[in-house]
Amino acid sequence: MALVVQKYGGTSVGDAERIRAVADHVARTRAAGDDVVVVVSAMGKFTDDLIHLANDVSPLRPPRELDMLLTAGERISVALVSMALAALGVESASFTGSQAGIITDTDHTKAKILEMRPDRIREALAKGLVPVVAGFQGVSTEHDITTLGRGGSDVTAVALAAALSADVCEIYTDVTGVFSADPRVVKVARRLSKVSFDEMLEMAATGGRVLMLRSVEFARRHGVPLHVRSSFTWEPGTWIVEEDPTMEEAVVSAVTDDTSEAKITVAGVPDHPGVAAQLFRALADRNINVDMIVQNTSARGLTDISFTVAKTDLDAARAACETVREEIGASEVTSDDGVGRVTIVGAGMKSSPGVTALMFETLSNLGINIEMISTSSIRISCVVRADRVAESVRALHTAFGLDARAS
Ligand code: ADP
Ligand code: ASP
Ligand code: MG
């Protein structure tokens, strides 16, 4: 008998019929002899709708109150899934993140899990119930309700799977697994049967939103096997596992796209030690994640520093940069939210010269200007205009031989 954590995303519980289908699958898993812990997201686009509602109500949305609002979505889902299970004769109990013992820091809207105390979930399992846990939420060390960042139900599922030593964490979604590119952007994308944690981390960090980045980090750290699969077809999907020597290392296994970031440039920065440290310390102190960074060669003792941040952090990041600009005597801070990023990921890239050249040539053939570049040993990212991202992804997918028809 295995313990399985099953997480269902928004589309998977999008309406009454979908909720009944999920309950049916949970009931079947139980009937097959496995214990199940269910984690659910808010129905459909409910979280987005709540955010729009908040925007309509007030220009000020204190993060604590936003979290209180957004967690309502998952609360609805858990109660409904539990009711649907009852109708099938499966005994279950719904839990909020707080009741499930998910203790977070106080960083509202993107809280991090500090500790898991899933005692009530263990008790429910011991009584033979199916616990149904609200994803995306926790309770802070100050006893306030928090959320874990967009897509955070994935983190809830993995954290519970780790804390309960589950045998597998199944992520049910609206596609049949992890593809070589977002199947909505690249029609000829291929489903990957296995992806290494290294590659999945790079994909999640660069826009492959099928799994939230932090859930992949968490799964790797705690050795939780992840299985991404469809709640529409129920067929086996993609396993995220540690790389093993028998896995074929594709030179490039996926292309990702991301238009969720904006670029900030601080111009006329005095080029001496400590200045960059001061700038990025100010951002770190405000909990702002900085992504790609480029510093120009200096001319007459001055340089420009550009970097990307999430669009949702843009205002806070600009304010932080303005403060530092005055302190260091830089000339101006500008931002650009019309950028996007296209990335190629592949574990075999380490040992294949020519990958970078082919990426740049492919973009150049489309007449696309590369504004920033960043690399890791298994990834190359280019910042381009946001409206050229989709065609870049498609061209790179073809250039690196990933199109389904090419195989
Ligand atoms: P859920 O609500 O189930 O969490 P998400 O919308 O967060 O679903 O994630 C699933 C979506 O991720 C898919 O519908 C797909 O458009 C998108 N996606 C982006 N990149 C990929 C990829 N490489 N493989 C599969 N899906 C991807
Ligand atoms: N409902 C939340 C969101 O839309 C969490 C999730 O779906 O994972 O971001
Ligand atoms: Mg998601």
Side-chain angles (χ1 to χ4, degrees):
M1 193 176 74
L3 173 61
V4 184
V5 173
Q6 296 185 338
K7 177 257 168 175
Y8 295 93
T11 321
S12 305
V13 292
D15 57 29
E17 193 188 329
R18 296 292 321 146
I19 289 176
R20 284 196 297 269
V22 163
D24 183 63
H25 189 68
V26 173
R28 283 169 197 272
T29 313
R30 285 275 302 181
D34 290 335
D35 276 339
V36 191
V37 175
V38 179
V39 174
V40 276
S41 295
M43 293 171 69
K45 299 265 168 253
F46 200 75
T47 310
D48 291 328
D49 294 344
L50 290 174
I51 292 173
H52 291 141
L53 184 59
N55 292 348
D56 287 347
V57 166
S58 164
L60 281 186
R61 294 168 297 277
R64 181 186 182 279
E65 307 315 324
L66 198 56
D67 277 354
M68 185 63 93
L69 177 72
L70 297 191
T71 51
E74 272 69 15
R75 213 178 234 257
I76 292 171
S77 302
V78 283
L80 293 174
V81 169
S82 222
M83 287 175 197
L85 284 169
L88 297 176
V90 177
E91 284 194 280
S92 73
S94 60
F95 296 92
T96 63
S98 165
Q99 289 173 320
I102 298 170
I103 317 295
T104 73
D105 62 17
T106 55
D107 191 11
H108 283 286
T109 75
K110 49 180 173 183
K112 292 211 169 53
I113 296 177
L114 297 177
E115 200 188 334
M116 294 292 292
R117 293 188 208 145
D119 304 342
R120 294 196 61 187
I121 306 304
R122 283 200 191 94
E123 282 163 24
L125 284 170
K127 283 188 203 149
L129 305 179
V130 173
V132 184
V133 181
F136 173 57
Q137 54 179 262
V139 61
S140 77
T141 45
E142 303 283 316
H143 311 289
D144 283 321
I145 299 299
T146 50
T147 61
L148 308 175
R150 296 306 305 271
S153 298
D154 295 340
V155 180
T156 307
V158 174
L160 275 171
L164 299 168
S165 305
D167 296 279
V168 56
C169 181
E170 297 182 330
I171 306 284
Y172 287 92
T173 183
D174 54 7
V175 286
T176 54
V178 178
F179 282 69
S180 52
D182 185 342
R184 290 179 211 285
V185 178
V186 180
K187 295 285 170 241
V188 289
R190 283 193 273 203
R191 185 176 71 204
L192 308 168
S193 55
K194 269 188 188 178
V195 178
S196 70
F197 272 112
D198 278 341
E199 289 176 315
M200 196 64 230
L201 282 170
E202 296 284 12
M203 286 176 72
T206 58
R209 72 193 160 98
V210 64
L211 281 175
M212 193 209 198
L213 175 61
R214 274 169 44 211
S215 71
V216 187
E217 290 168 345
F218 211 104
R220 163 172 250 177
R221 201 166 342 116
H222 297 273
V224 177
L226 286 177
H227 185 185
V228 180
R229 51 193 301 195
S230 163
S231 69
F232 288 78
T233 65
W234 308 104
E235 67 197 282
T238 303
W239 284 87
I240 320 295
V241 288
E242 278 304 340
E243 201 174 331
D244 74 66
T246 61
M247 267 165 90
E248 191 200 348
E249 284 201 335
V251 175
V252 170
S253 41
V255 187
T256 61
D257 64 282
D258 184 10
T259 48
S260 67
E261 295 193 333
K263 178 169 86 170
I264 295 185
T265 301
V266 186
V269 176
D271 193 8
H272 54 72
V275 171
Q278 203 174 332
L279 180 63
F280 291 105
R281 167 54 56 204
L283 294 160
D285 286 347
R286 287 164 180 79
N287 246 331
I288 296 168
N289 274 325
V290 174
D291 207 352
M292 298 170 78
I293 305 174
V294 171
Q295 177 171 337
N296 283 346
T297 45
S298 77
R300 278 171 268 111
L302 296 176
T303 183
D304 296 344
I305 299 179
S306 295
F307 54 91
T308 57
V309 294
K311 279 182 186 159
T312 46
D313 283 336
L314 181 58
D315 291 345
R318 278 202 65 141
C321 291
E322 269 304 334
T323 313
V324 177
R325 184 192 66 76
E326 281 170 26
E327 288 165 16
I328 62 179
S331 51
E332 69 170 337
V333 177
T334 54
S335 61
D336 177 356
D337 61 7
V339 293
R341 174 184 15 189
V342 48
T343 301
I344 56 173
V345 176
M349 196 182 283
K350 301 181 267 234
S351 48
S352 296
V355 174
T356 316
L358 180 55
M359 180 173 195
F360 294 173
E361 280 157 12
T362 306
L363 296 177
S364 135
N365 288 342
L366 295 170
I368 290 175
N369 187 41
I370 301 172
E371 299 180 26
M372 292 168 99
I373 301 161
S374 89
T375 62
S376 79
S377 61
I378 63 162
R379 164 183 63 79
I380 306 169
S381 289
C382 294
V383 167
V384 299
R385 286 290 95 202
D387 58 7
R388 309 291 311 262
V389 163
E391 58 181 309
S392 304
V393 173
R394 287 192 276 267
L396 290 166
H397 199 268
T398 305
F400 284 99
L402 296 175
D403 290 1
R405 278 178 307 216
S407 63

